[in-house]
């Protein structure tokens, strides 16, 4: 009887071990995230999207810095127009680089976006800094970066009046200082990616803090910034607002908001598909979704709604001033905001659920 009991106990123990082993094997096999080569996606994103985007931004910002220096040294309508053209090219490039605020683009003093891309600018504070000859690196986020440079180069007065304002040496120095600071910040990110690239690619898990998680969260935030800040705030659609505030659009002074918004959405779409800056279609979030159950259905839904969003965006005349359009044709602009709002669930909650990724930020609007 004792021998029988021992044999039975041994059999039960073996069976339990086998069952545990089988279940563990099943859990690994059935986990869709383990069936996808995330490292290949991260390599493609790093080598063909992020690093080339920052490199292009660096080239364009260097050109902007040179053009600003030429304008400051010899203010004229010709040098002003050259500086404006260089700013526009650099800011177009920024639309492709502003969605990667992690790694080298995130430091103890803030993200690259916070240092370079905040809008609207505080024009009155900029004028106070110029008057008080405040040229240090402790400037407020809304008094420096691309949009502060735009304010100084475009202003709200005529070209000749702008040139006249730059007879003021302090105004010249302020413009030169914030442009040089922008160059320094972009250079630092480009240099940082030379060593960070290996860490980014190797950190291929899905936990919070992994490269996939950081990339996904930045991807969603970058998309939502179009809806919430490039449109929501000027339309008066954000919590606490009671009316439209058209003067709070991006690129208010140059009036090129719609052109930049189109490039921004294109950058978001290219990251989703893994399309490199050279136009080559690589591994992106779309391929990741193809590897999980119900992923292909979500891709179809996403593409259907994205087409509607692009149709609404393309309905806005590219040369129109968005601030004026909000006043004269509010419904046309608001229709785009509505479709962006409808699209949020596909890029945010649905993707996060299927890919088992955690949203680590709050947009503050209940999405």
């Amino acid at each position: 009887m004792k021998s029988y009991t021992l044999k039975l106990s041994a059999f039960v123990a073996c069976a339990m071990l086998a069952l545990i082993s089988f279940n563990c094997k099943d859990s690994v096999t059935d986990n869709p995230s383990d069936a996808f080569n995330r490292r290949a996606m991260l390599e493609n994103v790093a080598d063909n999207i992020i690093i080339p985007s920052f490199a292009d931004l660096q080239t364009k910002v260097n050109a902007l810095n040179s053009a600003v220096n030429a304008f400051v040294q010899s203010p004229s309508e010709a040098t002003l127009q050259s500086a404006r053209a260089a700013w526009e090219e650099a800011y177009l490039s920024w639309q492709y680089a502003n969605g990667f605020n992690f790694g080298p683009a995130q430091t103890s003093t803030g993200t690259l976006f916070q240092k370079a891309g905040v809008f609207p600018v505080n024009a009155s504070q900029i004028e106070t800094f110029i008057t008080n000859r405040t040229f240090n690196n402790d400037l407020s986020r809304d008094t420096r970066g691309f949009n502060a440079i735009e304010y100084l180069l475009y202003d709200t007065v005529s070209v000749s009046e702008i040139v006249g304002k730059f007879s003021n040496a302090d105004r010249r120095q302020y413009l030169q200082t914030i442009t040089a600071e922008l160059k320094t910040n972009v250079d630092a990110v480009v240099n940082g990616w030379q060593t960070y690239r290996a860490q980014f690619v190797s950190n291929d898990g899905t936990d919070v803090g992994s490269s996939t998680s950081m990339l996904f969260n930045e991807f969603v935030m970058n998309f939502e910034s179009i809806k919430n800040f490039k449109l929501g705030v000027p339309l008066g659609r954000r919590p606490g607002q009671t009316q439209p505030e058209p003067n709070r659009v991006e690129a208010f002074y140059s009036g090129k908001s719609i052109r930049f918004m189109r490039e921004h959405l294109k950058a978001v779409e290219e990251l989703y598909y893994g399309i490199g800056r050279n136009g080559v279609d690589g591994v992106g979030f779309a391929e990741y979704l193809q590897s999980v159950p119900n992923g292909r259905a979500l891709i179809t839904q996403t593409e259907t709604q994205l087409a509607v969003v692009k149709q609404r965006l393309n309905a806005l005349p590219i040369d129109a001033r968005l601030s004026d359009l909000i006043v004269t044709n509010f419904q046309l602009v608001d229709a785009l905001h509505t479709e962006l709002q409808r699209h949020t669930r596909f890029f945010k909650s649905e993707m996060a659920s299927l890919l088992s990724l955690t949203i680590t930020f709050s947009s503050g609007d209940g999405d």
Side-chain angles (χ1 to χ4, degrees), residues 154-350:
Y154 287 86
D155 210 325
T156 56
V157 295
S158 68
V159 170
S160 61
E161 289 176 292
I162 293 172
V163 173
K165 283 187 175 186
F166 276 92
S167 61
N168 181 340
D170 295 334
R171 196 175 196 82
R172 296 198 301 271
Q173 186 174 349
Y174 191 88
L175 174 60
Q176 208 165 22
T177 297
I178 63 175
T179 306
E181 182 193 44
L182 176 63
K183 178 185 182 313
T184 297
N185 289 330
V186 172
D187 286 346
V189 174
V190 171
N191 293 335
W193 266 94
Q194 293 179 10
T195 53
Y196 179 72
R197 185 265 183 201
Q199 177 185 335
F200 176 76
V201 169
S202 63
N203 187 14
D204 61 353
T206 58
D207 57 303
V208 173
S210 67
S211 296
T212 304
S213 176
M214 290 189 294
L215 181 67
F216 174 70
N217 274 275
E218 280 291 315
F219 166 75
V220 176
M221 281 194 291
N222 196 29
F223 168 76
E224 287 207 313
S225 69
I226 304 175
K227 176 193 69 176
N228 292 337
F229 303 115
K230 295 194 174 188
L231 282 174
V233 170
L235 286 167
R237 293 300 193 189
R238 295 294 292 161
Q241 289 185 285
T242 58
Q243 62 185 11
E245 299 181 64
N247 62 324
R248 297 181 68 180
V249 298
E250 176 188 36
F252 170 75
Y253 297 96
S254 64
K256 300 181 183 297
S257 312
I258 296 173
R259 183 183 181 193
F260 294 133
M261 191 165 21
R262 287 189 186 184
E263 291 296 319
H264 189 156
L265 183 62
K266 182 181 176 185
V268 170
E269 185 179 12
E270 288 184 354
L271 177 57
Y272 176 75
Y273 287 112
I275 299 173
R277 297 296 285 121
N278 57 3
V280 176
D281 190 354
V283 183
F285 284 118
E287 284 74 19
Y288 197 175
L289 284 171
Q290 288 175 7
S291 72
V292 301
N294 301 317
R296 292 180 184 275
L298 178 57
I299 291 172
T300 300
Q301 294 170 334
T302 299
E303 290 177 341
T304 299
Q305 180 58 27
L306 186 58
V308 176
V309 169
K310 291 164 68 176
Q311 182 182 37
R312 289 295 188 184
L313 178 54
N314 291 335
L316 307 185
I318 194 168
D319 293 325
R321 293 183 65 92
L322 181 59
S323 55
D324 291 343
L325 209 56
I326 290 173
V327 175
T328 61
N329 200 339
F330 181 89
Q331 294 302 324
L332 182 67
V333 182
D334 195 47
L336 170 60
H337 180 265
T338 298
E339 297 306 335
L340 286 165
Q341 187 79 23
R342 288 172 177 164
H343 189 83
T344 300
R345 58 176 281 230
F346 300 117
F347 274 170
K348 194 174 187 180
S349 57
E350 301 280 353

Side-chain angles (χ1 to χ4, degrees), residues 21-86:
S21 175
F22 176 78
N23 285 339
C24 289
K25 183 178 179 181
D26 248 13
S27 65
V28 171
T29 303
D30 292 342
N31 187 343
S33 66
D34 291 325
F36 178 73
N37 187 351
R38 285 186 297 275
R39 181 166 298 206
M41 179 182 73
L42 296 175
E43 286 177 343
N44 177 58
V45 170
D47 296 339
N48 298 316
I49 300 178
I50 298 178
I51 293 175
S53 293
F54 280 126
D56 183 69
L57 179 64
Q58 182 183 46
T59 298
K60 301 296 171 54
V61 167
N62 285 342
L64 171 61
N65 189 57
S66 296
V68 163
N69 287 336
F71 171 60
V72 165
Q73 290 165 13
S74 180
S76 69
E77 293 191 14
T79 54
L80 174 61
Q81 295 295 3
S82 294
R84 284 180 168 184

